[in-house]
Amino acid sequence: MIFGNGIDIQEISAVEDLAARQPNFITKILTNTEKQTYDQKVGKHQGEFLAGRYAAKEAYSKALGTGLGADLNWQQLEIANDEQGRPYFQQHPRQNDLIAHISISHSGNMVKTEVILENMPNTEIPVSVNRPAWIEISKSAVAHNIKFVREFSGAKRFMAILKANAYGHGLPQMVEAAREGGADAFGVATLDEAIWLRHFGVKEPILVLGIVEAEQVKLAWKHQIIVPVANLAWLKSAQKVFPMESTNKPLLVALAVDTGMTRIGIRTENELQETFNAINRDPRFKLHSIGMHFATADTNNEAYFEQQLERWHTLTDELEISADVWRHLANSGTALWHKNPSTDAIRIGAAMYGIDSSQGALEKRDLQPVLSLKAKLVQVKQVEADVSVSYGATYTTDQPTWIGTIPLGYADGYLRKLQGGYGLLPDGRHVEIIGRIAMDQCMVALPEEIPVGTVITLIGSAGGQHVTLEDLAERLETIPYEVATTLSVRLPRYLVD
Ligand SMILES: *Cc1c(COP(=O)(O)O)cnc(C)c1O
C-alpha cells in the first residue's frame, strides 16, 4: 500500500545562488558522504547534484507529510546511487516500516523529483504460525520418493508437480524439499502458481499444466514460464497479443496432445502438424516440450492405457521433433506401474508425496508418506457416564471418560465425516474422535488422564502405528489427493527431516 507521495521541482540556478549566498547551505542539506560526492563533481554537475538532493529531500518530506523542520532533519536523509547509477535512500528515518522509491530528472535548468513511500509488507501478521495444530513435511521422505521414482522409471528429468499448494502439502515447504531432493523442473496448474515459484527464487523450468489465457502470455513470457499450446486457435490468439520485439527471448511453449484423457490438448494429426509448424515458423515461440496425460495409469485398465499410447504414436511419430524438446508422458501411475513410454521426463505428483494413487489396487511401491498432521491436546477433563459431547449431542459417554480437546476442525480440512475415526497417542495407542467435529475443534476419548500438550497424530506415524492419507480417503469415500488438498492454509506447515 502507498503511504504517501511527494513531488518537488527546483530551479538549479536558484539553488546555486542560495549556496553562494549562504556558506552553511551545502553542509545543512548534504550529509558528509553526500558532500564528498558533491566535492568530486565539477562545474554544472555540482549545481545539478545539489539541487537534485535538495529537491528529493523536499519530496520525501512531502510524501511523509511532515515538512522539513522539527520532525524531519535534512541530515536524516541520505541519498546514494546504486550500481546502475539510480538514486536510492541510503538512509531515512522510516526505513523500518516504509520503502522509499525515488526518481530524479533534470531538464534544462529544472530538476524534478518524486518520492513514493510504500508500506512494508507486515511480516508480523500471523497467518498460520502461532497454533498448536500443524502439518509436518518430511524432507527425507520427499528425497527418497524422488530418487525411487527416478530410478524405477529410468527417467532423465524429474518434473515435480506442485499444483494446488503442492497437493495441500504447502508450496514453500515442498519447493525446498523437492529442490533438495533433486527435482529438475516444476509443474503447476496456474500461471499465478508459476509466478509465485519464480518469486520464490526458482530458476528451473516451470510448466503450467492448464491452459493459460492467450491474453496472459506476455506475463508468462516475462517470467520465462512454459505454457501449453492445446489447440491451434489458442496459438493464433497468442500470436496476436505477443509483441514482435520479444524475439530475442521467445515464449516457451509445450504442445499438449490429447490421446484419450479428453481434457486439454490436440486430438487430430492435421491440427497437431499445423500447430507444430506454426510454432516452428514463428521466432517469438520456442517449443520446449511435448506431452500427453494418461487417464487410467493407476488402475487395472491396461487396455485403455495401451490405446492412449498407440494414439500418441499415431499422432506424434511423424513430427520432426528436435532432440532438445522434452517429451513427458508419465504421471505417477505411469511411472510406477507401466513400462516408461519415454525416459526423457516424467511429471510426478502423488508418488513424490508418497501417496499410492491406486489406493492399494496395484502393487505396493517403496514410497514414504511425506505429510503428518498433528495437534496438541489443549484441554483434558474427566466426565461421568451419560454425558453428551459436541454439537447435536450425537455421542454420549457410557462410562466415566477422559476427554481431550484438539484445536483443529473441519475448517482445517479435518472433515466432519472423520467422526468415529482415530488419532494416535505418542505411544501408538488409538484415540477415537468422538462427537461432531466442529469448525475449529474436536474431541477424542483418552484411555486415561493424558497431560495437556501431548501431541496427537491425526495423519502420520506414532509408536509404530500409522494413519495415512489413504486411510482417511477411504473413510471419506474419496481419493487421497482430495484429502490432502483440502487441508487448509490456516494450518502452519513445517519442514522436518
Ligand atoms: C496433476 C498432473 C500430473 C501429476 O499427476 P500424479 O498422478 O499426481 O503424479 C501430471 N500431469 C498432469 C497433466 C497433471 O495434471
Side-chain angles (χ1 to χ4, degrees), residues 161 163 167 209 263 293 331-332 347-350 481:
I161 304 299
K163 61 196 183 193
Y167 288 43
L209 300 166
R263 192 167 63 178
H293 197 44
N331 58 354
S332 294
R347 305 181 309 264
I348 303 298
Y481 298 71

Side-chain angles (χ1 to χ4, degrees), residues 107-286:
S107 92
N109 188 32
M110 308 302 280
V111 57
K112 180 184 172 203
T113 66
E114 177 165 19
V115 170
I116 296 172
L117 293 174
E118 187 190 354
N119 288 298
M120 265 187 207
N122 189 345
T123 49
E124 295 291 302
I125 298 171
V127 178
S128 55
V129 191
N130 307 304
R131 231 195 128 177
W134 67 95
I135 287 170
E136 290 176 5
I137 298 300
S138 163
K139 274 198 283 193
S140 57
V142 173
H144 166 88
N145 295 338
I146 291 177
K147 185 165 181 285
F148 173 79
V149 178
R150 194 201 281 282
E151 286 172 7
F152 191 77
S153 66
K156 286 206 289 284
R157 301 185 184 95
F158 188 101
M159 183 185 289
I161 304 299
L162 298 179
K163 61 196 183 193
N165 196 25
Y167 288 43
H169 288 53
L171 195 49
Q173 292 75 20
M174 276 305 302
V175 180
E176 197 178 323
R179 289 177 101 188
E180 279 184 30
D184 307 289
F186 296 98
V188 290
T190 67
L191 183 56
D192 286 339
E193 289 175 333
I195 293 172
W196 198 95
L197 282 183
R198 281 279 181 256
H199 282 308
F200 197 74
V202 168
K203 301 277 187 283
E204 292 87 349
I206 303 172
L207 169 67
V208 180
L209 300 166
I211 292 177
V212 172
E213 283 181 297
E215 295 73 36
Q216 306 273 25
V217 293
K218 269 192 235 171
L219 197 53
W221 168 77
K222 183 174 153 212
H223 295 279
Q224 282 292 281
I225 286 157
I226 309 154
V227 297
V229 178
N231 54 69
L232 184 58
W234 183 96
L235 183 66
K236 287 182 174 164
S237 312
Q239 282 172 321
K240 283 203 193 98
V241 296
F242 208 51
M244 254 341 262
E245 73 264 22
S246 6
T247 44
N248 57 347
K249 192 176 85 168
L251 176 74
L252 299 171
V253 294
L255 262 174
V257 183
D258 180 10
T259 61
M261 175 71 181
T262 323
R263 192 167 63 178
I264 69 164
I266 298 172
R267 285 173 60 80
T268 67
E269 279 164 84
N270 280 347
E271 188 179 351
L272 188 59
Q273 184 72 58
E274 206 180 322
T275 312
F276 178 76
N277 294 343
I279 292 170
N280 289 336
R281 270 199 308 267
D282 191 332
R284 298 170 299 166
F285 292 76
K286 179 169 167 35

